[in-house]
Amino acid sequence: MDTVSGVGVIDKAAMVLDALEAGPTTLAQLVSATGLARPTVHRLALALVHHRLVGRDIQGRFVLGGRLVELASAAGEDRLIASAGPVLLSLRDATGESSQVFRRQGEWRVCVASAERPIGLRDTIPVGTQLSMKAGSAAQCLLAWEDHDRLLEGLQNARFTPTVLAGVRRRGWAQSLGEREPGVASVSAPVRGPSGRVIAAVSISGPIERLTRQPGRVHAEVVAKAGAQLTEALRNSGE
């Protein structure tokens, strides 16, 4: 997708918003991500804050603003959520386990879509559930491709290590055993937005005795395929 419209200030503002897609960002990180001069980035960011297209978190970092949520609602469709339903149902049926899509919102990951296993022992995660970014395979996926500073910040007090995240990047999927909750295993894969950034994670989760102690060996291929399907849906929506 061509990112240059010919209207310089709009293109630069779009670069700032694209840089915020991955989560809370300092001014220095915005400068690094956009390649723009620091005074330019600061001026654009404050103007976007004024119009609520950008906000500030409790630590003063820049985040995507509430006005974008309102505009997305007015547009009538969230492409990720709209695409997730059939993909999650197919993933649930292929694995026999509950499936979810998570987005990062600040210091949390939030379930934005799910398909529950209909019977038997299952890991129930309703839409809207907030879970920690410090544990679980979805958290690993949402953090693994972040820049160096965000990686270091995300690893503080996390249940996983830098070596684990390096493995996630190498394989393209993550697994966890009892990280978030004792007895629960999960497998996750990244979902990328039109810009190529990881914006969500698709997961399955269930009891370790059913997923085994190597759940990725059993389910990684089908979970990664679901992530690729959602990525393709988002890419098509950005054309």
Side-chain angles (χ1 to χ4, degrees):
M1 182 176 61
D2 189 358
T3 58
V4 178
S5 71
V7 182
V9 67
I10 298 297
D11 292 338
K12 291 172 183 177
M15 291 171 67
V16 171
L17 293 173
D18 285 345
L20 295 175
E21 187 177 23
T25 306
T26 65
L27 180 60
Q29 289 170 333
L30 276 180
V31 171
S32 177
T34 61
L36 300 172
R38 186 183 182 94
T40 299
V41 173
H42 189 242
R43 184 173 65 253
L44 286 170
L46 291 182
L48 291 167
V49 168
H50 176 78
H51 290 286
R52 297 178 54 239
L53 295 169
V54 168
R56 306 291 284 267
D57 68 8
I58 60 174
Q59 297 177 18
R61 297 173 298 182
F62 295 101
V63 296
L64 292 175
R67 180 61 179 148
L68 293 174
V69 176
E70 296 166 3
L71 291 171
S73 177
E77 180 178 70
D78 181 315
R79 186 64 181 176
L80 174 62
I81 295 174
S83 302
V87 173
L88 290 182
L89 287 173
S90 177
L91 181 58
R92 181 198 66 186
D93 293 344
T95 62
E97 303 298 340
S98 299
S99 59
Q100 309 90 26
V101 171
F102 292 95
R103 276 179 171 153
R104 182 172 185 175
Q105 293 184 6
E107 304 305 314
W108 302 93
R109 54 184 171 101
V110 178
C111 179
V112 297
S114 68
E116 299 290 352
R117 190 174 192 264
I119 60 173
L121 186 62
R122 59 189 181 272
D123 184 34
T124 300
I125 304 176
V127 170
T129 300
Q130 289 186 325
L131 297 176
S132 173
M133 277 293 296
K134 301 298 184 180
S137 63
Q140 294 174 27
C141 277
L142 291 169
L143 185 61
W145 284 272
E146 292 279 27
D147 63 32
H148 180 68
D149 289 343
R150 286 201 184 102
L151 270 177
L152 292 180
E153 181 182 351
L155 283 166
Q156 294 178 11
N157 302 315
R159 298 286 302 276
F160 41 78
T161 65
T163 301
V164 168
L165 296 187
V168 173
R169 290 191 296 273
R170 183 179 66 252
R171 296 188 307 263
W173 53 267
Q175 66 177 5
S176 68
L177 296 170
E179 268 187 18
R180 174 176 60 82
E181 185 176 338
V184 174
S186 66
V187 180
S188 299
V191 178
R192 297 181 182 272
S195 69
R197 291 178 178 272
V198 174
I199 63 165
V202 60
S203 306
I204 61 166
S205 58
I208 290 176
E209 63 251 33
R210 201 163 57 226
L211 271 75
T212 79
R213 298 199 69 82
Q214 293 184 311
R217 176 177 295 181
V218 182
H219 297 299
E221 183 176 356
V222 68
V223 175
K225 180 181 178 181
Q229 289 174 325
L230 290 172
T231 295
E232 183 65 20
L234 294 174
R235 181 181 297 117
N236 291 339
S237 72
E239 292 179 349

